[in-house]
Amino acid sequence: MLRQKRVAAIHDISCFGKCSLTVALPVISAAGIEVSCIPTAILSTHTGGFTGYTYRDLTGDMLPIVSHWRELSLRFDALYTGYLGSPEQLDIVSGIFDALAGDDTLIVVDPVMADDGRLYPSFPHDFPSGMRELCSKADVVVPNMTEALLLLGEPYSEGPYTSEFIDGVTRRLLELGPRRVILTGVYFDGKQLGAASRSAGASGSELVMSRRIPGSYHGTGDVFASALTAGLVRGMTPESAARVAVDFTVGCIERTRRAGTDTRFGVDFESGLADFINAVNSAVPVRAD
Ligand code: PXL
Protein backbone atom coordinates (compact mmCIF):
# COMPACT_ATOMS: atom_id res chain seq x y z
CA MET A 1 0.00 0.00 0.00
CA LEU A 2 1.18 3.54 -0.70
CA ARG A 3 2.63 5.02 2.49
CA GLN A 4 1.19 8.40 3.42
CA LYS A 5 3.85 11.12 3.67
CA ARG A 6 4.42 12.81 7.01
CA VAL A 7 5.69 16.34 7.75
CA ALA A 8 6.63 17.93 11.09
CA ALA A 9 5.81 21.66 11.09
CA ILE A 10 7.70 23.81 13.59
CA HIS A 11 5.97 27.20 13.91
CA ASP A 12 4.00 29.23 16.45
CA ILE A 13 0.26 29.11 16.96
CA SER A 14 -1.16 32.58 16.41
CA CYS A 15 -4.67 32.06 17.74
CA PHE A 16 -6.13 34.79 15.53
CA GLY A 17 -4.87 36.19 12.21
CA LYS A 18 -4.27 33.21 9.97
CA CYS A 19 -0.56 32.40 9.69
CA SER A 20 2.04 29.85 10.84
CA LEU A 21 0.44 26.61 12.16
CA THR A 22 -3.16 27.67 11.49
CA VAL A 23 -2.13 27.83 7.83
CA ALA A 24 0.51 25.07 7.62
CA LEU A 25 -1.72 22.37 9.13
CA PRO A 26 -4.73 22.76 6.79
CA VAL A 27 -2.75 23.52 3.63
CA ILE A 28 -0.35 20.58 3.94
CA SER A 29 -3.14 18.24 5.10
CA ALA A 30 -5.20 19.25 2.05
CA ALA A 31 -2.44 17.83 -0.14
CA GLY A 32 -2.98 14.42 1.47
CA ILE A 33 0.03 14.69 3.76
CA GLU A 34 -0.04 13.96 7.51
CA VAL A 35 1.19 16.94 9.55
CA SER A 36 2.57 16.68 13.07
CA CYS A 37 3.59 19.87 14.80
CA ILE A 38 5.99 21.30 17.34
CA PRO A 39 4.48 24.63 18.46
CA THR A 40 7.17 27.21 19.25
CA ALA A 41 4.90 29.68 21.11
CA ILE A 42 1.24 30.52 21.53
CA LEU A 43 0.11 34.09 20.89
CA SER A 44 -3.41 35.53 20.96
CA THR A 45 -2.66 37.11 17.55
CA HIS A 46 0.41 37.39 15.36
CA THR A 47 2.60 40.44 15.93
CA GLY A 48 2.01 42.14 12.57
CA GLY A 49 -0.12 45.17 13.29
CA PHE A 50 -1.78 44.10 16.55
CA THR A 51 -0.83 45.38 19.98
CA GLY A 52 -1.49 43.83 23.38
CA TYR A 53 -1.14 40.22 22.24
CA THR A 54 -0.46 37.46 24.75
CA TYR A 55 2.69 35.40 24.31
CA ARG A 56 3.52 32.02 25.81
CA ASP A 57 7.00 30.76 25.04
CA LEU A 58 7.09 26.99 24.43
CA THR A 59 10.88 26.66 24.15
CA GLY A 60 10.92 24.27 27.11
CA ASP A 61 8.40 21.91 25.51
CA MET A 62 10.14 21.38 22.19
CA LEU A 63 12.86 18.85 23.12
CA PRO A 64 10.54 16.78 25.36
CA ILE A 65 8.13 16.50 22.40
CA VAL A 66 11.00 15.30 20.21
CA SER A 67 12.24 12.84 22.87
CA HIS A 68 8.81 11.28 23.05
CA TRP A 69 8.62 11.06 19.27
CA ARG A 70 12.00 9.32 19.20
CA GLU A 71 10.71 6.69 21.64
CA LEU A 72 7.95 6.08 19.09
CA SER A 73 10.54 5.78 16.25
CA LEU A 74 8.56 8.24 14.12
CA ARG A 75 9.91 9.02 10.68
CA PHE A 76 9.34 12.24 8.77
CA ASP A 77 9.44 12.95 5.05
CA ALA A 78 10.00 16.64 5.77
CA LEU A 79 10.77 19.02 8.61
CA TYR A 80 9.38 22.47 7.91
CA THR A 81 10.21 25.43 10.16
CA GLY A 82 8.82 28.96 10.32
CA TYR A 83 8.35 31.52 13.11
CA LEU A 84 10.47 30.64 16.14
CA GLY A 85 9.43 31.74 19.61
CA SER A 86 12.85 32.73 21.00
CA PRO A 87 16.48 33.03 19.82
CA GLU A 88 17.36 29.89 21.86
CA GLN A 89 15.08 27.94 19.56
CA LEU A 90 17.56 28.35 16.69
CA ASP A 91 19.94 25.87 18.36
CA ILE A 92 17.06 23.71 19.51
CA VAL A 93 15.67 23.43 15.98
CA SER A 94 19.14 22.65 14.64
CA GLY A 95 19.27 19.79 17.17
CA ILE A 96 15.78 18.69 16.12
CA PHE A 97 17.02 18.40 12.53
CA ASP A 98 19.83 16.11 13.76
CA ALA A 99 17.42 14.08 15.89
CA LEU A 100 14.53 13.64 13.45
CA ALA A 101 15.92 13.84 9.92
CA GLY A 102 16.70 10.59 8.16
CA ASP A 103 18.64 10.33 4.90
CA ASP A 104 15.55 11.11 2.82
CA THR A 105 14.01 13.81 5.01
CA LEU A 106 13.56 17.14 3.25
CA ILE A 107 14.45 20.10 5.47
CA VAL A 108 12.59 23.30 4.55
CA VAL A 109 13.52 26.46 6.45
CA ASP A 110 11.36 29.53 6.05
CA PRO A 111 13.54 32.09 7.89
CA VAL A 112 10.54 34.03 9.20
CA MET A 113 11.94 37.14 10.89
CA ALA A 114 11.32 40.24 8.77
CA ASP A 115 9.32 41.96 6.06
CA ASP A 116 9.13 45.31 4.27
CA GLY A 117 12.75 46.11 5.11
CA ARG A 118 12.40 45.56 8.87
CA LEU A 119 13.29 42.82 11.36
CA TYR A 120 10.16 41.91 13.36
CA PRO A 121 10.34 43.72 16.72
CA SER A 122 10.13 40.41 18.61
CA PHE A 123 13.64 39.41 17.43
CA PRO A 124 17.03 40.73 18.62
CA HIS A 125 19.35 42.32 16.06
CA ASP A 126 21.66 39.26 15.98
CA PHE A 127 18.79 36.86 15.17
CA PRO A 128 19.60 36.90 11.41
CA SER A 129 23.11 35.56 12.01
CA GLY A 130 21.69 32.63 14.01
CA MET A 131 19.12 32.05 11.28
CA ARG A 132 21.94 32.01 8.72
CA GLU A 133 23.40 28.95 10.49
CA LEU A 134 20.05 27.19 10.54
CA CYS A 135 19.62 27.88 6.81
CA SER A 136 22.99 26.22 6.13
CA LYS A 137 21.43 22.91 7.26
CA ALA A 138 18.37 23.22 4.99
CA ASP A 139 17.62 21.53 1.71
CA VAL A 140 15.32 24.41 0.76
CA VAL A 141 15.18 27.96 2.14
CA VAL A 142 12.21 30.24 1.41
CA PRO A 143 13.12 33.82 2.39
CA ASN A 144 11.31 36.97 1.31
CA MET A 145 13.55 39.75 0.02
CA THR A 146 14.01 41.41 3.43
CA GLU A 147 14.95 38.09 5.05
CA ALA A 148 17.31 37.24 2.18
CA LEU A 149 19.23 40.50 2.54
CA LEU A 150 19.37 40.16 6.34
CA LEU A 151 20.74 36.62 5.94
CA LEU A 152 23.39 38.01 3.60
CA GLY A 153 24.19 40.96 5.89
CA GLU A 154 23.38 43.33 3.01
CA PRO A 155 21.33 46.55 3.13
CA TYR A 156 17.64 46.35 2.28
CA SER A 157 16.82 47.27 -1.25
CA GLU A 158 13.33 48.26 -2.46
CA GLY A 159 12.24 46.91 -5.84
CA PRO A 160 11.76 46.92 -8.71
CA TYR A 161 14.81 44.68 -9.06
CA THR A 162 16.93 43.68 -12.02
CA SER A 163 17.47 40.05 -13.00
CA GLU A 164 21.22 40.51 -12.28
CA PHE A 165 20.38 41.60 -8.73
CA ILE A 166 18.07 38.61 -8.19
CA ASP A 167 20.65 36.20 -9.61
CA GLY A 168 23.26 37.67 -7.26
CA VAL A 169 21.00 37.29 -4.22
CA THR A 170 20.10 33.66 -5.01
CA ARG A 171 23.75 32.80 -5.72
CA ARG A 172 24.98 34.31 -2.45
CA LEU A 173 22.17 32.59 -0.50
CA LEU A 174 23.28 29.24 -1.94
CA GLU A 175 26.81 30.00 -0.72
CA LEU A 176 25.39 29.90 2.82
CA GLY A 177 24.86 26.16 2.34
CA PRO A 178 21.26 25.22 1.44
CA ARG A 179 20.73 23.04 -1.65
CA ARG A 180 17.98 25.23 -3.07
CA VAL A 181 16.68 28.77 -2.63
CA ILE A 182 13.17 29.91 -3.40
CA LEU A 183 13.18 33.68 -2.99
CA THR A 184 9.81 35.45 -2.76
CA GLY A 185 8.86 39.07 -3.35
CA VAL A 186 10.65 39.23 -6.70
CA TYR A 187 9.42 41.91 -9.12
CA PHE A 188 10.82 43.82 -12.07
CA ASP A 189 7.90 46.18 -12.70
CA GLY A 190 4.53 47.12 -11.19
CA LYS A 191 2.63 44.40 -13.02
CA GLN A 192 4.12 41.09 -11.92
CA LEU A 193 5.37 39.57 -8.66
CA GLY A 194 6.68 36.11 -7.93
CA ALA A 195 9.51 33.89 -6.82
CA ALA A 196 13.00 33.01 -8.04
CA SER A 197 14.07 29.40 -7.65
CA ARG A 198 17.68 28.27 -7.91
CA SER A 199 19.54 25.11 -6.96
CA ALA A 200 23.21 24.73 -6.08
CA GLY A 201 25.22 24.43 -9.27
CA ALA A 202 22.63 26.10 -11.53
CA SER A 203 23.80 28.99 -13.68
CA GLY A 204 20.83 31.25 -12.87
CA SER A 205 17.42 31.58 -11.24
CA GLU A 206 14.14 30.26 -12.67
CA LEU A 207 11.36 32.82 -12.33
CA VAL A 208 7.81 31.90 -11.36
CA MET A 209 5.74 35.06 -11.77
CA SER A 210 2.09 36.07 -11.52
CA ARG A 211 0.05 39.26 -11.44
CA ARG A 212 0.95 41.76 -8.72
CA ILE A 213 -1.86 42.82 -6.39
CA PRO A 214 -1.15 46.06 -4.51
CA GLY A 215 -1.07 46.00 -0.71
CA SER A 216 0.50 43.85 1.96
CA TYR A 217 -1.58 40.92 3.24
CA HIS A 218 -0.52 39.17 6.42
CA GLY A 219 0.33 35.46 6.39
CA THR A 220 0.96 35.15 2.65
CA GLY A 221 4.57 34.00 3.24
CA ASP A 222 3.23 31.10 5.32
CA VAL A 223 0.58 30.26 2.71
CA PHE A 224 3.26 30.18 0.01
CA ALA A 225 5.84 28.17 1.98
CA SER A 226 3.24 25.66 3.22
CA ALA A 227 1.90 25.07 -0.31
CA LEU A 228 5.46 24.79 -1.63
CA THR A 229 6.43 22.27 1.07
CA ALA A 230 3.32 20.22 0.31
CA GLY A 231 4.13 20.16 -3.41
CA LEU A 232 7.76 19.17 -2.80
CA VAL A 233 6.77 16.39 -0.40
CA ARG A 234 4.27 15.10 -2.96
CA GLY A 235 7.18 14.82 -5.40
CA MET A 236 6.72 17.88 -7.60
CA THR A 237 9.78 19.57 -9.09
CA PRO A 238 10.76 22.78 -7.24
CA GLU A 239 9.61 24.93 -10.16
CA SER A 240 6.23 23.23 -10.49
CA ALA A 241 5.73 23.29 -6.70
CA ALA A 242 6.61 27.02 -6.76
CA ARG A 243 4.16 27.55 -9.66
CA VAL A 244 1.30 25.90 -7.74
CA ALA A 245 2.24 27.81 -4.56
CA VAL A 246 2.39 31.18 -6.37
CA ASP A 247 -0.99 30.62 -8.05
CA PHE A 248 -2.59 29.49 -4.78
CA THR A 249 -1.19 32.50 -2.89
CA VAL A 250 -2.26 35.02 -5.54
CA GLY A 251 -5.77 33.54 -5.56
CA CYS A 252 -5.94 33.91 -1.76
CA ILE A 253 -4.85 37.56 -1.94
CA GLU A 254 -7.29 38.33 -4.76
CA ARG A 255 -10.29 36.89 -2.85
CA THR A 256 -9.26 38.74 0.31
CA ARG A 257 -8.85 42.03 -1.56
CA ARG A 258 -12.30 41.64 -3.17
CA ALA A 259 -13.86 40.90 0.22
CA GLY A 260 -12.25 44.03 1.68
CA THR A 261 -10.99 42.12 4.73
CA ASP A 262 -8.64 43.81 7.19
CA THR A 263 -5.18 42.88 5.84
CA ARG A 264 -4.03 41.89 9.35
CA PHE A 265 -6.64 39.12 9.57
CA GLY A 266 -4.94 36.81 7.07
CA VAL A 267 -6.03 35.73 3.60
CA ASP A 268 -8.94 33.55 2.47
CA PHE A 269 -6.91 30.44 1.71
CA GLU A 270 -9.76 28.10 2.65
CA SER A 271 -11.80 28.86 -0.48
CA GLY A 272 -8.78 28.04 -2.65
CA LEU A 273 -7.99 24.64 -1.15
CA ALA A 274 -10.04 22.65 -3.70
CA ASP A 275 -8.19 24.22 -6.64
CA PHE A 276 -4.88 23.75 -4.82
CA ILE A 277 -5.57 20.04 -4.27
CA ASN A 278 -6.53 19.63 -7.94
CA ALA A 279 -3.36 21.40 -9.09
CA VAL A 280 -1.16 19.13 -6.94
CA ASN A 281 -3.04 15.98 -7.96
CA SER A 282 -2.86 16.77 -11.64
CA ALA A 283 0.90 17.41 -11.39
CA VAL A 284 1.55 14.22 -9.39
CA PRO A 285 -1.42 11.86 -9.63
CA VAL A 286 -2.15 9.77 -6.53
CA ARG A 287 -1.25 6.16 -7.39
CA ALA A 288 -4.00 3.68 -6.59
CA ASP A 289 -1.84 0.80 -5.42
O1 PXL B 1 3.47 35.12 9.28
C1 PXL B 1 4.63 35.28 9.97
C2 PXL B 1 4.39 35.35 11.45
C3 PXL B 1 4.14 34.19 12.14
N1 PXL B 1 3.91 34.19 13.47
C4 PXL B 1 3.92 35.35 14.16
C5 PXL B 1 4.16 36.56 13.52
C6 PXL B 1 4.41 36.56 12.14
C7 PXL B 1 4.69 37.82 11.43
O2 PXL B 1 4.53 38.89 11.93
O3 PXL B 1 4.12 37.69 14.21
C8 PXL B 1 3.65 35.32 15.62
Side-chain angles (χ1 to χ4, degrees), residues 97 109-111 113 127-154 167-183 198-201:
F97 290 167
V109 173
D110 181 352
M113 59 183 171
F127 193 79
S129 63
M131 186 56 91
R132 190 178 306 143
E133 278 184 46
L134 194 64
C135 286
S136 73
K137 295 182 92 165
D139 293 301
V140 183
V141 293
V142 197
N144 62 32
M145 193 61 74
T146 309
E147 290 157 349
L149 294 169
L150 281 170
L151 288 170
L152 294 173
E154 296 175 14
D167 272 347
V169 171
T170 55
R171 181 177 47 74
R172 292 192 294 282
L173 286 169
L174 287 170
E175 284 167 7
L176 301 180
R179 289 200 298 132
R180 178 169 288 273
V181 169
I182 301 190
L183 173 67
R198 182 168 182 168
S199 61

Side-chain angles (χ1 to χ4, degrees), residues 106-130:
L106 182 78
I107 297 182
V108 180
V109 173
D110 181 352
V112 176
M113 59 183 171
D115 208 355
D116 295 325
R118 277 191 301 274
L119 187 66
Y120 294 144
S122 42
F123 295 120
H125 68 92
D126 58 350
F127 193 79
S129 63

Side-chain angles (χ1 to χ4, degrees), residues 68-90:
H68 186 209
W69 285 2
R70 278 173 65 84
E71 283 169 27
L72 300 172
S73 303
L74 298 178
R75 294 163 56 90
F76 294 91
D77 297 287
L79 306 175
Y80 161 41
T81 73
Y83 186 98
L84 302 184
S86 66
E88 301 77 62
Q89 290 185 11
L90 288 163

Side-chain angles (χ1 to χ4, degrees), residues 11-21 23 40-50 53-55 82-85 110 112-115 120-123 147 217-223:
H11 303 244
D12 72 288
I13 298 175
S14 286
C15 299
F16 179 78
K18 294 175 276 186
C19 65
S20 32
L21 280 180
V23 166
T40 58
I42 300 182
L43 298 86
S44 51
T45 66
H46 60 71
T47 65
F50 296 109
Y53 47 82
T54 67
Y55 175 82
Y83 186 98
L84 302 184
D110 181 352
V112 176
M113 59 183 171
D115 208 355
Y120 294 144
S122 42
F123 295 120
E147 290 157 349
Y217 289 80
H218 195 90
T220 50
D222 298 330
V223 170

Side-chain angles (χ1 to χ4, degrees), residues 226-237:
S226 299
L228 177 83
T229 300
L232 292 173
V233 170
R234 281 286 303 274
M236 295 172 77
T237 63

